[in-house]
Amino acid sequence: MKMSADVKLVIEQNLVDVRSRISHAAERSGREANEIVLVAISKGQPVEKIKAGYELGIRDFGENRIDEALTKQLALQDLSEIQWHMVGHIQSRKARSVVQHFSLVHSLDRWKLAQRLDRFAGEEGLRLPVLLECNVSGEESKNGWNLQDEPSWPLFQPEIERILSLENIEIQGLMTMAPWVVEEDVLRSCFRKLRELNEFLSHNLHTSWNELSMGMTDDFEIAIEEGATMVRIGRAIFGDRQ
Ligand SMILES: *Cc1c(COP(=O)(O)O)cnc(C)c1O
């Protein structure tokens, strides 16, 4: 398939729009736009669109399925400096692949997976950056540690301490997915809760990580206002998925 100039133009306009919205939201939260990492979520999008995004300056791309991601990485291996982010649920048997092919894992959601990532990272001779996926909305369909109720937060501490003790993975922050609702106050309180959880951990465990990966196409401005340092945006950049 040949990429039409139109497709690139649309992505370019979308990017201008997304970047300006990021920068206004950052301003409202007293920060600079360049303090917020834009991860372009390219799942379900053709390689040609990723290439167009790359030519427009995007270097951080996110995928949620290993096999799809590996096919794309192979097709795009000539493009230098791409950082691939893993944002989807990871099956334990795919852990080695994740270690080998991604720069940052947003979706570490269980102890067993932490152990496997640590083991394979050790074997590969690297230290893998990860974020802990937290379910703070209480939706049952969501992955991640269930941390909706604040009183349960202290129970999470030993688990985090165990993960902190793994030498080959490095926790850089927390990640969450907002619930599938449109009410702004519900979304906002979910993002705020992740930030508060992060403050709780920093206070109690003296953690020094500071990434908060939260916010997607429909809610990234609210997430930034509540402290997101990384936003994961797909459709607003690339259009609807195939
Ligand atoms: C698909 C996906 C996104 C991006 O969703 P959009 O609505 O297209 O912006 C972000 N994060 C995760 C974990 C996803 O699976």
Side-chain angles (χ1 to χ4, degrees):
M1 190 186 95
K2 201 180 164 298
M3 171 93 332
S4 69
D6 286 357
V7 172
K8 186 166 172 187
L9 201 61
V10 170
I11 294 177
E12 183 170 23
Q13 286 162 350
N14 288 347
L15 260 180
V16 169
D17 175 58
V18 165
R19 289 211 168 105
S20 125
R21 287 164 63 192
I22 288 176
S23 114
H24 284 112
E27 216 167 273
R28 289 195 293 277
S29 73
R31 292 180 295 160
E32 305 277 339
N34 64 15
E35 293 173 53
I36 292 150
V37 177
L38 168 59
V39 182
I41 303 296
S42 49
K43 70 180 186 197
Q45 305 286 357
V47 161
E48 287 71 17
K49 285 193 180 179
I50 304 181
K51 211 176 266 177
Y54 181 88
E55 285 165 10
L56 294 165
I58 300 176
R59 292 294 176 271
D60 292 275
F61 292 93
E63 291 280 337
N64 70 335
R65 291 214 180 88
I66 317 279
D67 297 342
E68 178 185 339
L70 296 195
T71 306
K72 289 173 177 173
Q73 290 180 4
L74 199 59
L76 297 165
Q77 59 186 338
D78 292 343
L79 308 184
S80 57
E81 295 170 9
I82 292 192
Q83 306 284 322
W84 290 100
H85 297 243
M86 181 65 209
V87 302
H89 183 68
I90 301 166
Q91 293 170 288
S92 295
R93 63 189 173 86
K94 298 279 172 83
R96 186 189 292 279
S97 237
V98 169
V99 167
Q100 291 170 330
H101 298 283
F102 291 88
S103 322
L104 175 63
V105 170
H106 291 235
S107 44
L108 174 54
D109 61 359
R110 59 198 190 278
W111 165 242
K112 184 184 169 198
L113 179 62
Q115 281 177 302
R116 287 180 76 84
L117 293 174
D118 175 65
R119 182 176 121 210
F120 295 132
E123 287 176 16
E124 299 290 327
L126 51 85
R127 196 144 189 259
L128 181 73
V130 300
L131 307 178
L132 305 178
E133 181 168 358
C134 302
N135 176 353
V136 287
S137 75
E139 272 192 324
E140 286 193 7
S141 60
K142 294 267 184 288
N143 296 315
W145 278 279
N146 196 331
L147 292 161
Q148 190 204 7
D149 301 319
E150 281 189 43
S152 73
W153 289 357
L155 303 175
F156 183 47
Q157 279 178 225
E159 181 102 332
I160 293 194
E161 281 173 321
R162 279 202 287 169
I163 299 174
L164 280 169
S165 75
L166 299 173
E167 284 179 4
N168 307 306
I169 62 181
E170 181 189 323
I171 306 177
Q172 295 194 339
L174 307 180
M175 177 274 218
T176 202
M177 304 255 295
W180 303 112
V181 296
V182 286
E183 289 93 353
E184 183 180 323
D185 55 335
V186 178
L187 295 168
R188 190 176 292 284
S189 75
C190 168
F191 297 136
R192 185 172 298 164
K193 201 178 259 184
L194 192 73
R195 190 189 66 213
E196 287 167 356
L197 171 63
N198 200 44
E199 285 160 5
F200 170 87
L201 294 172
S202 134
H203 185 257
N204 287 276
L205 291 177
H206 309 291
T207 54
S208 53
W209 65 61
N210 45 28
E211 300 292 352
L212 289 180
S213 167
M214 53 190 198
M216 319 197 326
T217 288
D218 295 324
D219 54 26
F220 70 87
E221 287 154 296
I222 305 171
I224 291 171
E225 288 168 12
E226 295 302 328
T229 63
M230 286 187 172
V231 287
R232 310 179 307 266
I233 303 180
R235 290 168 298 131
I237 296 172
F238 297 115
D240 285 337
R241 285 179 275 277
Q242 287 168 327

